[in-house]
Amino acid sequence: MSMTWADVRFMLERARGLIRRGLASVRTRGLAATWARVRRQFARHPRLPPASLYRPAEAPFAPFVVPASDAPRVSIIVPVYNQASHTLGCLRALAEHPPSVACEIIVVDDGSSDQTHDWMTSIAGLRYHVRAGNGGFIAACNDGAALARGEYLVFLNNDTFPQPGWLDALLHTFGIWSDAGLVGAQLVYPDGRLQEAGGVVFDDGSAWNYGRFESPEDPRYTSVRDADYCSGAAIMVPTGLFRDIGGFDVRYAPAYYEDTDLAFAVRARGLRVLYQPAARVVHLEGITAGTDTGSGIKAYQIRNRGLFARKWAEALVGRPAAGTLPSPSTLARGRRQVLVVDAETPRPRHDSASLRMVNLMRLLVGEGAHVVFLPADLRAAGEDTAALRQLGVESWHAPFAASVASWMRAHGHRFDVVLLSRHYVAAELLPLVRRFAPQARIVFDTVDLHFLREKRGADIAGDDALRRSAGKTRDRELALMRQADATLVVSPVERDMLAALLPASARVEVLSNLHELAGSGAPFAQRRDLVFVGGFRHPPNADAMLWFGREIFPRIHARLPDVRLHCIGAEPPTEVRALQEIPGITVHGHVPDLAPYMDGVRVAIAPLRFGAGVKGKVNLSMAHGQPVVATPCAVEGMHLVDGHDVLVAEGADAFADAVVRLYGDASLWHRLSTNGRENIRKHFSLDAARNAVRRIFF
């Protein structure tokens, strides 16, 4: 595409504006802070690949259709003044990738004199409103809000290309964060650099686009978090709240600082202003108003800063000093900062330890902590990493974390508490934490007592070499417990066992599995079959399945020939897969959604012959109201009573008898279902763990 005179003028104006802002920054912030900002602007950072950013194809105008609804949930307000070609691109983006939520699009024309009127009136589905005269951005937005019919308002600049899924991500944030009052998008430049990951406001009322010119994929900018404000180029706010506040404050007319003011007004009502990185919007910053604050409409940015500072003087007290280069540490100021390190990113759909870890981080975030997660293997985990970020967890990985040691050297000073999960992770990390985070309390999370599990496995196998190995694991785990400030175990049984092995000064706390109660699923008469759930990287699960499949299930199948066993779990070994040769057994491997098996299968089994800790498979079934038949090992430390909330059996014949009995006894089934759910609520819910979390981490 050839360069036009308009392009040249834009580049010249941008350069002129950069020079003006640079000189102004030297005067207000000093040379050192200004130079730091210049280096950040021109530093080379990983950008999004150009092909990953959607941009509608440029073409002559032709009529098209935009998303529309007579009963919209969201009203998208696009204020415009000339720049018809940019408005056209924005609307084409909305038309080519329509959101799943019902919406309406309102274009408010603030007195355009170009092709805007002719084009907008030819676009089907668009609500086009022409103002009586030019009043500026604030007036146009407030007019659009008055016309809106949706439950939520979205203010969207016309010089944007919303990326697929952006609107659904904004709305989803309100569904997850009940105290959200305003949610802003991640803004990126057309060249793939980050433009804004929420805004930072300093003590003098000046502001900074957090993450400007850096990589949009940098872990500092990829999690949901509180922001001082979000640029009005792409924000969502409940319609009732916006109207209750009085809309954008007209004292800032025609434009600038109205979005910052709105964010402060939202917070003054006890609600949060959140940045949502999953809502990505390409923004051609400066197209309409330019970038030079010394002339034109951008000059109002300087004037309005003073207005804003006077209006919100009390709220600005204690904010970072002007000229400070924002960092995750300064943004989380005043909050408990907790680092969590595990062997890898937790995968809650694969194993119970991962589910426990994710729910623990949810609890910490809910209690007001800023949580940072670092996987010891430094690998990104796709959807599981993204899911943590949607919970508000700052999740790191390579290449942004080059090594664990270098990352700890750079970030260790931030943390009040460091949680090290699993003994082999803690053994490697504890010296680094003591060196680079000497101020932090170190919490060692055992997940389960590995040495106990290993010893029991060795006893089952009758292997002296395994017993010696278990003894070495025991020595390592106990040494870590002596060095840590606190140790977490998952059951009172393990806590009591350690009391005889550790000095009285060692602090051992119980923080068990964490589950949410699910629906109760289908009734007894509509359920059928048996289910086993457990990841097969965990040796006790493979042993349990082989024992059950070879010795117990044939006894059950002889008495209940129509019953099938569903074996679910990632990475089943060859021996477990071979169980499918036994009539009635299906080995599924990993399944992405367990709900149909939890809600539709009649009986769960937990035939573990060795192990330690608390068994997530038992918790999971009980949380869904699915009764369980288990061995004594499988219910250890879980506050369960045989015949009340679980059936306990030992030996192949006894286990088969218990399964057959429960499968045919509706009264027993209902009793175990009801009492099992109550057990989860009382001992293994997030609410049940809340006091322990406060005691350990705060």
Side-chain angles (χ1 to χ4, degrees):
M1 185 174 62
S2 59
M3 183 171 290
T4 66
W5 174 240
D7 294 321
V8 173
R9 284 188 60 191
F10 170 70
M11 293 172 65
L12 289 173
E13 286 299 315
R14 168 159 283 188
R16 182 167 170 260
L18 286 171
I19 293 171
R20 279 181 175 271
R21 294 203 306 276
L23 294 174
S25 180
V26 170
R27 288 194 297 270
T28 59
R29 299 186 179 95
L31 183 60
T34 300
W35 178 240
R37 292 185 176 217
V38 170
R39 284 190 301 163
R40 172 174 285 196
Q41 175 165 346
F42 292 104
R44 296 181 64 86
H45 297 284
R47 303 182 183 187
L48 294 172
S52 70
L53 290 176
Y54 161 77
R55 181 168 184 161
E58 294 186 17
F61 177 79
F64 60 97
V65 180
V66 296
S69 172
D70 292 331
R73 190 162 184 216
V74 177
S75 298
I76 303 172
I77 299 165
V78 184
V80 304
Y81 174 63
N82 292 326
Q83 302 294 340
S85 61
H86 293 295
T87 306
L88 181 61
C90 177
L91 296 178
R92 280 175 171 163
L94 293 171
E96 291 176 18
H97 292 282
S100 62
V101 62
C103 66
E104 63 177 355
I105 302 173
I106 305 171
V107 168
V108 181
D109 188 342
D110 196 30
S112 300
S113 57
D114 59 0
Q115 307 101 317
T116 296
H117 182 275
D118 293 339
W119 289 356
M120 297 302 107
T121 54
S122 300
I123 298 175
L126 184 69
R127 294 186 65 192
Y128 177 56
H129 172 70
V130 181
R131 301 191 72 253
N134 180 267
F137 179 84
I138 291 175
C141 287
N142 285 343
D143 276 9
L147 296 169
R149 299 172 296 180
E151 180 185 353
Y152 292 90
L153 302 174
V154 168
F155 295 100
L156 181 68
N157 278 17
N158 68 329
D159 57 344
T160 59
F161 301 126
Q163 301 299 289
W166 73 288
L167 187 63
D168 298 308
L170 288 176
L171 185 60
H172 178 72
T173 314
F174 285 94
I176 297 299
W177 302 83
S178 60
D179 54 354
L182 185 151
V183 180
Q186 182 190 78
L187 303 181
V188 299
Y189 288 106
D191 65 3
R193 291 181 301 167
L194 180 62
Q195 185 180 118
E196 178 191 297
V200 180
V201 176
F202 300 105
D203 58 0
D204 66 347
S206 61
W208 175 251
N209 293 350
Y210 187 52
R212 190 178 183 91
F213 304 122
E214 300 199 44
S215 169
E217 301 292 345
D218 189 307
R220 291 173 293 176
Y221 315 122
T222 50
S223 59
V224 175
R225 59 166 184 79
D226 291 280
D228 291 344
Y229 77 97
C230 293
S231 169
I235 57 173
M236 177 180 281
V237 61
T239 304
L241 175 63
F242 184 79
R243 291 173 178 169
D244 181 60
I245 287 172
F248 286 124
D249 193 333
V250 296
R251 78 182 72 187
Y252 301 105
Y256 292 105
Y257 267 87
E258 74 287 333
D259 47 8
T260 314
D261 179 87
L262 177 64
F264 274 60
V266 165
R267 247 188 321 273
R269 282 162 172 73
L271 299 171
R272 297 171 72 177
V273 175
L274 296 174
Y275 156 70
Q276 173 53 272
R280 182 169 284 166
V281 173
V282 174
H283 183 211
L284 311 176
E285 184 186 46
I287 288 294
T288 303
T291 59
D292 183 6
T293 58
S295 62
I297 193 171
K298 283 287 283 187
Y300 286 98
Q301 187 170 341
I302 301 299
R303 187 206 73 169
N304 287 351
R305 188 183 87 180
L307 292 175
F308 173 82
R310 288 190 291 275
K311 178 179 178 180
W312 296 102
E314 187 174 335
L316 292 174
V317 174
R319 292 188 173 270
T324 303
L325 203 60
S327 69
S329 183
T330 57
L331 265 60
R333 64 192 181 278
R335 299 168 62 189
R336 198 71 164 168
Q337 300 199 44
V338 179
L339 170 64
V340 175
V341 186
D342 204 343
E344 59 187 18
T345 299
R347 302 184 299 168
R349 291 172 296 177
H350 287 72
D351 63 90
S352 62
S354 289
L355 180 62
R356 172 178 175 269
M357 180 60 78
V358 169
N359 281 336
L360 171 57
M361 288 190 275
R362 285 181 58 195
L363 265 175
L364 288 167
V365 171
E367 290 296 315
H370 177 69
V371 180
V372 180
F373 179 78
L374 180 71
D377 66 1
L378 297 181
R379 293 179 182 175
E383 292 182 358
D384 291 307
T385 297
L388 280 184
R389 290 168 171 169
Q390 286 299 301
L391 293 177
V393 176
E394 182 187 318
S395 302
W396 284 78
H397 56 77
F400 301 97
S403 71
V404 172
S406 63
W407 190 92
M408 282 300 307
R409 185 180 299 111
H411 295 270
H413 67 279
R414 298 167 54 183
F415 301 110
D416 301 294
V417 183
V418 176
L419 173 71
L420 303 176
S421 181
R422 305 174 201 273
H423 72 89
Y424 47 89
V425 173
E428 295 175 358
L429 269 291
L430 198 146
L432 286 175
V433 176
R434 287 294 188 209
R435 180 178 179 187
F436 297 120
Q439 76 290 341
R441 178 192 306 166
I442 296 178
V443 178
F444 168 39
D445 181 20
T446 62
V447 180
D448 62 23
L449 293 180
H450 287 55
F451 77 82
L452 180 60
R453 169 162 47 85
E454 291 177 10
K455 180 182 181 302
R456 288 172 172 175
D459 291 341
I460 290 287
D463 190 321
D464 289 336
L466 290 178
R467 289 191 184 96
R468 289 191 294 272
S469 177
K472 293 177 181 178
T473 300
R474 172 182 177 273
D475 293 342
R476 286 193 294 269
E477 287 189 281
L478 293 177
L480 289 166
M481 294 173 194
R482 294 186 186 100
Q483 295 175 66
D485 297 304
T487 295
L488 303 185
V489 295
V490 293
S491 76
V493 170
E494 293 188 343
R495 180 192 58 199
D496 295 344
M497 181 183 300
L498 291 175
L501 301 173
L502 293 171
S505 58
R507 180 182 178 188
V508 179
E509 296 272 3
V510 176
L511 186 65
S512 198
N513 286 357
L514 300 169
H515 291 265
E516 290 185 290
L517 283 172
S520 56
F524 173 85
Q526 295 177 19
R527 291 176 178 251
R528 58 181 301 151
D529 297 340
L530 314 177
V531 65
F532 172 88
V533 178
F536 288 102
R537 288 197 294 175
H538 192 53
N541 287 334
D543 175 82
M545 196 65 251
L546 292 173
W547 179 54
F548 184 84
R550 292 168 178 171
E551 299 189 31
I552 302 174
F553 186 72
R555 290 169 163 85
I556 297 171
H557 196 254
R559 298 159 67 182
L560 301 172
D562 294 331
V563 169
R564 300 191 62 82
L565 167 66
H566 300 276
C567 174
I568 297 171
E571 304 177 37
T574 302
E575 297 92 335
V576 172
R577 288 193 178 278
L579 293 175
Q580 294 190 110
E581 298 174 6
I582 299 173
I585 296 180
T586 301
V587 180
H588 296 274
H590 171 68
V591 298
D593 184 10
L594 285 173
Y597 298 94
M598 296 294 101
D599 296 337
V601 172
R602 186 173 291 181
V603 174
I605 58 166
L608 298 174
R609 297 197 296 171
F610 70 95
V614 169
K615 310 307 180 294
K617 58 178 63 61
V618 177
N619 290 140
L620 177 66
S621 289
M622 289 183 170
H624 283 262
Q626 182 182 62
V628 180
V629 179
T631 57
C633 174
V635 299
E636 183 179 68
M638 297 185 68
H639 314 282
L640 295 170
V641 177
D642 183 23
H644 178 75
D645 36 28
V646 67
L647 287 188
V648 181
E650 193 167 13
D653 286 332
F655 206 101
D657 289 345
V659 170
V660 172
R661 175 189 170 204
L662 177 58
Y663 198 85
D665 189 335
S667 176
L668 173 62
W669 189 95
H670 283 293
R671 181 168 74 247
L672 299 187
S673 174
T674 300
N675 294 336
R677 284 171 58 83
E678 176 61 18
N679 174 273
I680 296 297
R681 186 199 65 77
K682 185 175 180 180
H683 298 291
F684 301 104
S685 66
L686 274 66
D687 283 340
R690 202 172 302 279
N691 287 336
V693 167
R694 290 170 179 168
R695 186 171 62 249
I696 296 162
F697 293 93
F698 292 88

